[in-house]
Amino acid sequence: SKHGLQPMDALRALGSSERSVQKVLAGLDVVCTLLTNVLEVPGEPKYRMVKKANPRIAQFLGCEEEGVLRAAGFEDSPDGKSFTCCTGEAEGSVPAQLGEVLEAARAIRQALRHCLELEEAQGGSRPTDAGEAAASTVSRDLLCREPWVAEKLECAVLDFAAQQSADLALVEKRRRRSDEALAVRSPTMWRDALASVGGSFLCAGGK
């Protein structure tokens, strides 16, 4: 990204985190809200700056969620007491990567929510490292580093990356078709356009 931080690196790191799924979800909820606000109302100054002393922000300082926020375009304010977004951007605009980071955070958040749902459905019992169900209910928090949770996080990251690649390929395909259609209608470029898609024989004898 523009700021040298990769959101997927921060999100993948959750798979080895000692923090609970519940705490990470609370942090991701805040991050998603902040990014959504900037994306939907980019011209609102109050959405571009958040104080680090705010309890909702302070809960994830130094954690993976902070990395996601920075990857989206938030930076330290000059006095270091806040995060600011869109610095260096045209007024009313948002960092180009913000929307993609938001979608990635939402994908991971959904995966973690699914883990909690599975946990509740099992009545508190969890798969062990050997893949067997625990014999009794465990009262401790569900941790992100637990193997089955880490695996679901990794799958969510890979699925998101694959979808992004597919979306980019589709956009490129549509752009190429549009360019070809314009070229075919051009009085000077139509021959080259037809030839590029194997239609040279249609040009034989043409003018």
Side-chain angles (χ1 to χ4, degrees):
S1 73
K2 170 183 170 181
H3 298 270
L5 294 169
Q6 297 300 325
M8 302 315 288
D9 290 341
L11 292 169
R12 288 188 67 201
L14 287 170
S16 57
S17 175
E18 295 284 344
R19 299 165 65 217
S20 71
V21 170
Q22 292 88 338
K23 286 184 178 180
V24 172
L25 275 173
L28 286 178
D29 282 342
V30 175
V31 169
C32 287
T33 297
L34 292 174
L35 300 187
T36 299
N37 287 341
V38 173
L39 195 62
E40 293 183 349
V41 195
E44 178 53 65
K46 70 178 182 180
Y47 292 147
R48 295 189 181 191
M49 178 176 291
V50 291
K51 295 185 179 298
K52 295 180 181 180
N54 183 318
R56 299 180 69 209
I57 305 301
Q59 68 176 320
F60 61 72
L61 290 180
C63 299
E64 292 81 7
E65 299 95 292
E66 180 182 346
V68 175
L69 195 64
R70 290 182 180 278
F74 276 80
E75 305 171 329
D76 293 317
S77 61
D79 62 8
K81 294 181 179 179
S82 304
F83 288 118
T84 61
C85 187
C86 303
T87 55
E89 305 285 340
E91 185 176 355
S93 67
V94 299
Q97 73 275 18
L98 190 146
E100 182 178 344
V101 173
L102 174 58
E103 290 305 311
R106 284 173 172 169
I108 296 303
R109 182 175 64 172
Q110 182 59 37
L112 290 175
R113 285 176 176 171
H114 186 220
C115 288
L116 284 183
E117 290 171 359
L118 291 175
E119 172 82 351
E120 293 172 1
Q122 294 170 358
S125 63
R126 299 167 193 163
T128 64
D129 290 347
E132 299 174 351
S136 59
T137 298
V138 183
S139 59
R140 64 184 175 81
D141 288 337
L142 180 62
L143 302 182
C144 291
R145 66 170 176 78
E146 294 196 30
W148 70 278
V149 177
E151 182 179 356
K152 287 189 177 297
L153 287 173
E154 186 70 17
C155 287
V157 168
L158 293 174
D159 287 347
F160 177 79
Q163 185 59 54
Q164 290 295 105
S165 295
D167 290 345
L168 288 174
L170 181 59
V171 169
E172 175 59 22
K173 183 177 181 180
R174 288 175 175 170
R175 183 200 63 76
R176 189 167 60 251
R177 285 183 175 178
S178 177
D179 290 347
E180 290 169 354
L182 289 173
V184 167
R185 291 194 293 269
S186 167
T188 57
M189 298 172 60
W190 67 274
R191 288 177 178 274
D192 290 340
L194 284 176
S196 69
V197 294
S200 300
F201 67 95
L202 295 173
C203 305
K207 294 183 178 181

